[in-house]
Amino acid sequence: MEETFMKKKFVALTALVAALPVFLAACGSSSSSTKTTTVKLGVIGSDADVWKPVAKRLKKQHINLKLVEFTDYNKPNQALQDGDIDLNAFQTVQFLNNWNKAHKTNIVSVGKTYIGPVRLYSQKVKKLSQLKKGAKVAIANDQTNEARALELLQQAGLIKLKGNVTFPTVRDITSNKLGLKITPVDAAQTARSLTSVDAAVVNNDIALNAKLKPSSAIYVEKITKASKPFVNVVASTKKNRNNKVYKKVVKAYQTQATKKVIKKVYNGSTEAAWDLSFK
């Protein structure tokens, strides 16, 4: 009887040992089966430095945020439309709307990032009031940024523009009391042109790359209700606007930690826009 009991115990023990690897494998598979999703995000300039800490945080959520860097403003939307990237974060609402209209695309905003007021810089004068008659002023030549630069000059009291024009150009100037010679150039050249002009309206990212100090600007664009079109956004194709993973990417960005990084990277010249009140 004792021999029979021992045989049964041996059989049971053998079965347990045989089942143990299967059990352990099952336990292991539950922790390793979580799939990591790769999301390609198109960025330009210093925006990459803002997104790198976000990418680190997203790893904990099993999201591999891969930053794809561009140097040409016309490339990120085309890459998004072609499916080469999943999201991009480089453009204002106005730029996005203008792009869709011109290219018959359906790219949409899925979250706000920041707003960077454009500034009027000069290496010739220290104050706006020191600009002389016939002064040369460079502005960006693309439709969105040209309009914004002209509106800044109007805001500064230097020119007046026709009313009800969505994208004013130099042809829409109705008053130019100083007879400023306003020359549109490629946006990337606005900062470099400061050696040959009296002043230039320079976008924030370009100013940063050119190491221009925001505090040295002779005029700064005011943030008002009219500034909403100039908020930068994260964009996706319309069909992916409700993608759950993309929403996690936006949520990981829109944090207090990111606000601190934005302030540091842009030397205090840029404000987080997702909870900003436009008055």
Side-chain angles (χ1 to χ4, degrees), residues 44 70-79 90 95 99 103 142:
I44 287 180
F70 296 87
T71 57
D72 185 335
Y73 277 82
N74 290 309
K75 299 295 184 183
N77 277 337
Q78 191 60 56
F90 77 101
F95 187 98
W99 175 275
H103 296 84
D142 63 275

Side-chain angles (χ1 to χ4, degrees), residues 1-275:
M1 186 172 181
E2 184 177 348
E3 183 179 351
T4 302
F5 175 76
M6 291 298 292
K7 285 182 178 179
K8 289 182 178 180
K9 187 175 181 181
F10 176 77
V11 171
L13 183 60
T14 302
L16 178 61
V17 171
L20 189 58
V22 177
F23 174 76
L24 291 175
C27 289
S29 65
S30 64
S31 60
S32 62
S33 62
T34 304
K35 184 179 178 182
T36 295
T37 303
T38 296
V39 177
K40 294 181 180 179
L41 173 74
V43 295
I44 287 180
S46 298
D47 283 343
D49 294 327
V50 178
W51 279 96
K52 285 173 184 176
V54 179
K56 288 182 179 179
R57 292 198 294 273
L58 283 168
K59 286 182 178 179
K60 296 179 181 179
Q61 299 183 54
H62 305 286
I63 298 173
N64 174 30
L65 187 66
K66 184 178 180 180
L67 302 182
V68 181
E69 298 187 46
F70 296 87
T71 57
D72 185 335
Y73 277 82
N74 290 309
K75 299 295 184 183
N77 277 337
Q78 191 60 56
L80 181 60
Q81 191 66 25
D82 293 342
D84 296 328
I85 58 176
D86 305 298
L87 298 168
N88 66 42
F90 77 101
Q91 64 193 323
T92 64
V93 172
Q94 189 179 70
F95 187 98
L96 174 58
N97 292 340
N98 190 41
W99 175 275
N100 281 331
K101 184 177 180 180
H103 296 84
K104 295 182 171 60
T105 50
N106 282 307
I107 296 173
V108 299
S109 166
V110 292
K112 298 175 182 177
T113 56
Y114 60 78
I115 182 168
V118 294
R119 289 168 167 79
L120 183 64
Y121 289 91
S122 175
Q123 292 180 354
K124 308 290 175 61
V125 299
K126 299 293 185 182
K127 298 179 181 179
L128 186 68
S129 59
Q130 293 175 339
L131 282 176
K132 297 179 180 179
K133 289 186 177 181
K136 297 178 181 178
V137 179
I139 62 174
N141 63 2
D142 63 275
Q143 187 180 49
T144 300
N145 287 311
E146 179 179 2
R148 189 176 182 184
L150 289 171
E151 286 167 357
L152 175 140
L153 295 178
Q154 177 172 251
Q155 196 179 81
L158 296 173
I159 63 171
K160 288 184 180 180
L161 299 166
K162 289 180 183 177
N164 301 318
V165 178
T166 305
F167 295 104
T169 69
V170 291
R171 295 186 296 275
D172 295 308
I173 297 174
T174 59
S175 175
N176 183 353
K177 62 183 182 181
L178 290 178
L180 299 176
K181 296 177 181 178
I182 302 171
T183 305
V185 300
D186 185 89
Q189 301 299 320
T190 51
R192 297 176 188 175
S193 71
L194 285 169
T195 57
S196 58
V197 299
D198 297 289
V201 180
V202 186
N203 283 24
N204 231 19
D205 53 344
I206 294 170
L208 183 69
N209 291 336
K211 301 188 184 309
L212 296 176
K213 293 182 179 179
S215 59
S216 70
I218 61 175
Y219 190 81
V220 183
E221 179 184 41
K222 296 176 183 177
I223 297 178
T224 65
K225 287 182 180 179
S227 304
K228 289 182 179 180
F230 307 134
V231 170
N232 282 258
V233 296
V234 181
S236 77
T237 54
K238 189 175 182 179
K239 66 179 181 181
N240 288 317
R241 71 188 311 166
N242 294 315
N243 184 294
K244 292 181 179 179
V245 174
Y246 298 171
K247 286 185 176 181
K248 289 180 179 179
V249 171
V250 172
K251 187 176 181 180
Y253 181 96
Q254 294 177 342
T255 63
Q256 286 297 123
T258 301
K259 283 187 178 182
K260 292 179 180 179
V261 177
I262 289 173
K263 186 175 182 179
K264 181 179 179 181
V265 169
Y266 284 100
N267 297 323
S269 66
T270 299
E271 293 188 53
W274 56 88
D275 57 1

